[in-house]
Amino acid sequence: MTIEGLAAADTVAAADDERQFCYRHPQRETALSCGRCERPICTNCAIQGPVGFRCRQCGKPAYDPLTSFTSGQLALGAGVALTAGLVSGTAGSLGLLGLCVALFAGGVAAETVRRTIGYKQGPVLAGLLFGGLLIGTLAAYAAVYGSLWLPSMVSEETGELLGYMLVQTGGWALLVGGVACFGAYSRLR
């Protein structure tokens, strides 16, 4: 073999040694690497950053302002959601008209909570809103019907009637809370 042939063989061997494979997918050859940590990444793992491609760990933002809440925002949002739940629960004791009020109250609650906490979004907001509406509705029903039944709890004969009425109104309270949550969900979409 000539010297030129040996030099060409060394170049091919050096090119084979410099091949890079994605650190998450070792079977994929790549020429791309992360701009921060310089690990080789394939095109499926690459995230376009402001100054080039990043791997998934380096490209993920450390703080997402749309889904991060402060404790004050959480407390304020929970207070607004509970208040709206109390309103929808109290109005729900009126009957079918209360369902319309609960639907409206849920939508207003969703918009008010979003504006109050600074237009945040995500599953934390949904859980805060739906939980506040349901708990507020159940608390309103307990206050309204508890005050009506409290005098009748003294005798033993009415205890069975009280249990029956709690089961009946508890289902209605959950229906009203569900309608309020549906109103809130329609505003969050």
Side-chain angles (χ1 to χ4, degrees), residues 1-51:
M1 205 180 248
T2 65
I3 295 181
E4 293 153 359
L6 286 175
D10 287 339
T11 306
V12 170
D16 286 342
D17 292 337
E18 293 177 12
R19 291 189 308 170
Q20 295 181 351
F21 294 93
C22 177
Y23 77 97
R24 290 183 65 205
H25 304 104
Q27 71 279 8
R28 294 183 186 166
E29 185 176 351
T30 183
L32 187 64
S33 32
C34 175
R36 179 174 287 164
C37 66
E38 298 181 359
R39 288 189 289 187
I41 51 176
C42 65
T43 56
N44 290 344
C45 296
I47 296 175
Q48 179 66 43
V51 292

Side-chain angles (χ1 to χ4, degrees), residues 118-137:
Y119 293 100
K120 303 288 185 172
Q121 60 187 10
V124 173
L125 173 68
L128 176 79
L129 185 61
F130 298 151
L133 285 171
L134 286 174
I135 291 170
T137 301

